[in-house]
Amino acid sequence: MLRSIAFAAAAFAAVIGHGADAQARSLDEVVASGVLRVGVNPTLPPLGLYNERNEIDGFDVEFSRRIAEMLGVELEVVQVGSPDRIPFVASGKIDYVMGAMTRNPQRAMIIDYTLPVHTEIFGVLSVEGKPYESWRDLNTPDATMVQVRGTTPLKFIEENLPEANVLLLDNYPDVVRALAQGRGDAMLDVVDFVGEHMNRHDVAWKVLETPVDVYYCGLGVQKGNSSLRDWLNVAIFTLHKDGVVDEIWKKWFGIDMLYPVGVTPYF
């Protein structure tokens, strides 16, 4: 998600505090070590989660396992959280970081990005038969938004869809169930993350064609680590070209990527 320049300044201060001068490992050094160290946040399911063996798993881990196989090295998963993931990259504790690393100019002042691995759609989930084509169509008293209590989209709805009614529920499974039962018309959120809940209901789901925004998420590497970044770009291109990213995405999210990245050879 986009942040202000103040975010960049705060993140830079955090990087300094974690030893920003540490040199990241080059591609040759990663290969020579036999280990690829990747930061994954296990609190962002299904990107990262704990499995039944209490191991960090999910889309990010399986994707990184494919990357490690292409390099011919072992994968070491390092647990990170939102506050420390960028400092971990900058200080060389990990080789790259995942976990919804949205590409934006503010973060790019602090880290280097690879090509996008996946997208996330901040948009509207509804069902077939509803008359809405764009999120703006929901700004009417005839529309009822079903939302999770206390989440970020509520502020967006308040500011941009003030005429809509809002039904607040406690969690995403309840919201998706309410839409399936016809208790509301739509949900505004990052739709990709509710695919598992959508698959539990035998209804014809519809994601409105006009999203609020599309977020492009790549791998974050230390600034200036061009040898690793350039190789990762080629690897990501190959995994997209061969359909591997889409395959892993559907396995973990339960639905196809709503806004495919597409294959591009350009950095």
Side-chain angles (χ1 to χ4, degrees), residues 36-57:
L36 176 69
R37 299 194 299 255
V38 177
V40 176
N41 185 345
T43 67
L44 294 174
L47 291 173
L49 50 81
Y50 285 105
N51 60 26
E52 64 278 1
R53 297 183 299 277
N54 203 35
E55 300 168 337
I56 300 177
D57 208 344

Side-chain angles (χ1 to χ4, degrees), residues 14-203:
V15 167
I16 294 298
H18 281 74
D21 293 332
Q23 185 66 38
R25 299 193 303 168
S26 68
L27 174 64
D28 289 344
E29 289 170 332
V30 171
V31 173
S33 74
V35 177
L36 176 69
R37 299 194 299 255
V38 177
V40 176
N41 185 345
T43 67
L44 294 174
L47 291 173
L49 50 81
Y50 285 105
N51 60 26
E52 64 278 1
R53 297 183 299 277
N54 203 35
E55 300 168 337
I56 300 177
D57 208 344
F59 172 87
D60 288 353
V61 173
E62 186 162 347
F63 173 86
S64 295
R65 194 174 292 123
R66 298 295 185 98
I67 293 288
E69 289 172 359
M70 294 171 76
L71 269 178
V73 300
E74 297 295 319
L75 175 65
E76 178 184 338
V77 177
V78 179
Q79 179 178 343
V80 298
S82 295
D84 59 19
R85 57 184 177 171
I86 290 178
F88 269 40
V89 171
S91 62
K93 292 181 179 179
I94 54 179
D95 299 309
Y96 71 74
V97 65
M98 296 191 73
M101 286 297 296
T102 307
R103 288 160 53 112
N104 66 55
Q106 288 72 41
R107 285 196 185 127
M109 295 172 65
I110 305 165
I111 60 172
D112 282 345
Y113 278 103
T114 64
L115 293 170
V117 173
H118 63 84
T119 60
E120 296 171 7
I121 300 300
F122 183 45
V124 176
L125 175 66
S126 187
V127 296
E128 290 294 343
K130 299 291 182 181
Y132 316 110
E133 298 298 331
S134 164
W135 62 268
R136 295 179 178 85
D137 296 339
L138 292 157
N139 191 31
T140 169
D142 296 330
T144 296
M145 307 295 299
V146 189
Q147 302 291 144
V148 176
R149 185 176 283 108
T151 52
T152 303
L154 293 176
K155 181 174 176 59
F156 181 91
I157 292 171
E158 179 183 347
E159 294 176 349
N160 296 277
L161 303 172
E163 298 299 318
N165 297 299
V166 180
L167 170 63
L168 296 177
L169 299 177
D170 290 332
N171 54 60
Y172 287 100
D174 286 349
V175 165
V176 174
R177 184 182 303 109
L179 291 176
Q181 294 171 344
R183 295 165 53 201
D185 299 301
M187 177 196 76
L188 176 67
D189 211 297
V190 182
V191 181
D192 307 78
F193 287 86
V194 297
E196 174 188 357
H197 310 308
M198 292 162 61
N199 287 337
R200 295 174 182 169
H201 304 279
D202 186 20
V203 299

